[in-house]
């Protein structure tokens, strides 16, 4: 069986780490998009405040299957 996918790109942010930022981005996308199948982290960066990491930021491509 073959499938056709559409890609979206979302950004996630977390004060805890990159893993949490990825999970939050995927969870938020799942609230409005059905059939999510995979993700790819395309960018990683962070926000620094007073010499400390304040936020971890990621850009994630998410593929979802078109029905």
């Amino acid at each position: 069986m073959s499938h056709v996918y559409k890609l979206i790109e979302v950004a996630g942010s977390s004060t805890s780490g990159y893993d949490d930022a990825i999970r939050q981005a995927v969870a938020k996308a799942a609230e409005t998009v059905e059939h999510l199948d995979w993700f790819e982290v395309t960018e990683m960066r962070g926000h620094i405040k007073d010499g400390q990491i304040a936020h971890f930021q990621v850009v994630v491509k998410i593929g979802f299957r078109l029905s």
Side-chain angles (χ1 to χ4, degrees), residues 13-37:
S13 173
S14 171
T15 57
S16 300
Y18 288 115
D19 182 69
D20 188 51
I22 294 165
R23 291 177 188 280
Q24 288 197 46
V26 171
K28 193 64 169 176
E31 290 178 9
T32 58
V33 180
E34 296 179 341
H35 309 297
L36 299 183
D37 275 352

Side-chain angles (χ1 to χ4, degrees), residues 1-22:
M1 176 184 238
S2 60
H3 298 288
V4 175
Y5 295 89
K6 182 172 178 83
L7 301 176
I8 58 172
E9 194 170 63
V10 297
S13 173
S14 171
T15 57
S16 300
Y18 288 115
D19 182 69
D20 188 51
I22 294 165

